[in-house]
Amino acid sequence: MSVFAMPFPMPSPPLAPSSLAAAADPLRLYELAVQCPAAEVDFLDRRFRLLRGRRAHSLREDFCGTAAVCCEWVRRRPGNRALGLDIDPAVLAWGERHNVAALPAAQARRVFLQCADVLAAQPAPVDIVAAMNFSYWLLKERAALLRYFQRVHAQLCPDGVFFLDAYGGYDAFRRLRERRTVADDGAGFTYIWEQAAYDPITAALRCHIHFAFPDGSRLEQAFTYNWRLWTLAEVRELLHEAGFVRVHCYWQGWDANGEPDGRFEPVQQAEPDAGWVCYLSAEK
């Protein structure tokens, strides 16, 4: 399954052939606006070492999309190797062409991308499995998410650790749009996150990512997500039920200006903020 595995709806009205939106690559925009592989790998590497007293060498990135985290992982140390699983062959091909091919040959040989469903793949055991960007929320039924967590547990090394993320807060249950300006090598663009619909009976959540450009052109619904909004309590219960012996939540701190500081520390309790993002670790 893939966080990218969905069609890109055609914008309306049609894009002008010379517009910035028409020339843009949605997957590249996603990487610039949403992902920070270096910070993510910093967190995974540091937390595994603190939890297990050794360095991790093998990482599996589930729902890997363009495999940016896999590529960052193998950059860190000569002994590191990474496997990316995703069900979308087109997105994997993009990652192979743009991310894996950009690595030195010795590093590229340590990245393996496999087009497979995470509920069916039979990869070799690894030190770390990571499921980020809320990708596992594609599994909307409790039985399906439990089955996925059980498979991850079985496919980790004896002292392996599963890392995943979540978001929530009372704003997560309402319709909203959030905008953020993103700088790149060109003129930059605006990233727009939209929570378009939420059903409190089923917890079904539909979200879109849009992009807007300085020339006034836009990519509407460049990505659409049909998720279940899982609560932390539900996720933690399912992880324990799947066999993980200890689960930690890591909460993001705030700087002096009230902005997220990018540091995630383990907590036992947290404030009921309007919006929060956290990591979780689950130890085998």
Side-chain angles (χ1 to χ4, degrees):
M1 294 189 174
S2 170
V3 74
F4 296 100
M6 57 209 70
F8 301 153
M10 290 297 294
S12 179
L15 296 172
S18 59
S19 71
L20 291 172
D25 183 333
L27 292 172
R28 174 61 175 158
L29 297 176
Y30 179 93
E31 288 190 335
L32 289 168
V34 176
Q35 292 190 285
C36 185
E40 197 165 291
V41 168
D42 284 345
F43 177 83
L44 298 175
D45 209 18
R46 177 171 177 264
R47 282 296 158 188
F48 185 93
R49 190 169 67 253
L50 289 172
L51 291 170
R52 292 314 199 200
R54 68 173 181 90
R55 285 196 179 276
H57 299 291
S58 55
L59 173 140
R60 191 178 97 206
E61 185 185 2
D62 284 356
F63 314 94
C64 71
T66 61
V69 170
C70 286
C71 292
E72 181 63 28
W73 180 257
V74 301
R75 290 189 186 99
R76 293 303 173 97
R77 288 184 294 277
N80 282 8
R81 65 186 190 278
L83 168 66
L85 295 181
D86 202 286
I87 204 170
D88 190 326
V91 177
L92 285 174
W94 190 100
E96 187 79 48
R97 188 166 62 251
H98 290 86
N99 291 335
V100 179
L103 295 170
Q107 294 177 1
R109 284 194 292 269
R110 291 185 277 115
V111 177
F112 307 91
L113 303 185
Q114 182 179 354
C115 188
D117 189 326
V118 296
L119 293 176
Q122 296 287 345
V126 291
D127 295 326
I128 292 174
V129 173
M132 299 299 186
N133 299 319
F134 329 115
S135 50
Y136 62 96
W137 287 5
L138 289 164
L139 302 171
K140 301 177 187 179
E141 300 298 326
R142 189 182 192 280
L145 189 57
L146 176 60
R147 188 165 78 255
Y148 170 57
F149 287 171
Q150 289 170 330
R151 291 181 66 84
V152 170
H153 184 274
Q155 293 165 352
L156 282 165
C157 291
D159 65 343
V161 182
F162 181 30
F163 290 95
L164 54 166
D165 59 5
Y167 83 82
Y170 49 87
D171 273 352
F173 299 92
R174 68 184 185 92
R175 297 186 183 96
L176 60 75
R177 282 194 177 210
E178 295 178 341
R179 297 169 176 264
R180 177 165 46 86
T181 300
V182 180
D184 66 3
D185 295 336
F189 59 92
T190 299
Y191 161 83
I192 304 165
W193 171 255
E194 180 185 8
Q195 290 170 188
Y198 175 74
D199 181 350
I201 294 176
T202 63
L205 176 68
R206 186 171 74 253
C207 301
H208 307 296
I209 291 175
H210 318 281
F211 299 107
F213 300 89
D215 64 353
S217 62
R218 297 169 63 93
L219 280 178
E220 296 287 343
Q221 297 184 19
F223 299 94
T224 293
Y225 305 98
N226 290 299
W227 285 335
R228 173 170 172 171
L229 180 55
W230 291 95
T231 67
L232 277 180
E234 291 172 317
V235 172
R236 293 174 71 243
E237 288 171 0
L238 284 165
L239 287 167
H240 284 298
E241 193 172 333
F244 291 97
V245 296
R246 186 165 57 167
V247 178
H248 289 299
C249 291
Y250 302 85
W251 220 252
Q252 183 168 240
W254 305 89
D255 63 20
N257 298 317
E259 297 295 327
D261 64 6
R263 294 179 58 85
F264 291 83
E265 299 297 337
V267 297
Q268 298 296 323
Q269 294 179 310
E271 293 298 318
D273 297 324
W276 49 259
V277 176
C278 78
Y279 286 120
L280 298 96
S281 66
E283 298 170 56
K284 187 169 180 178

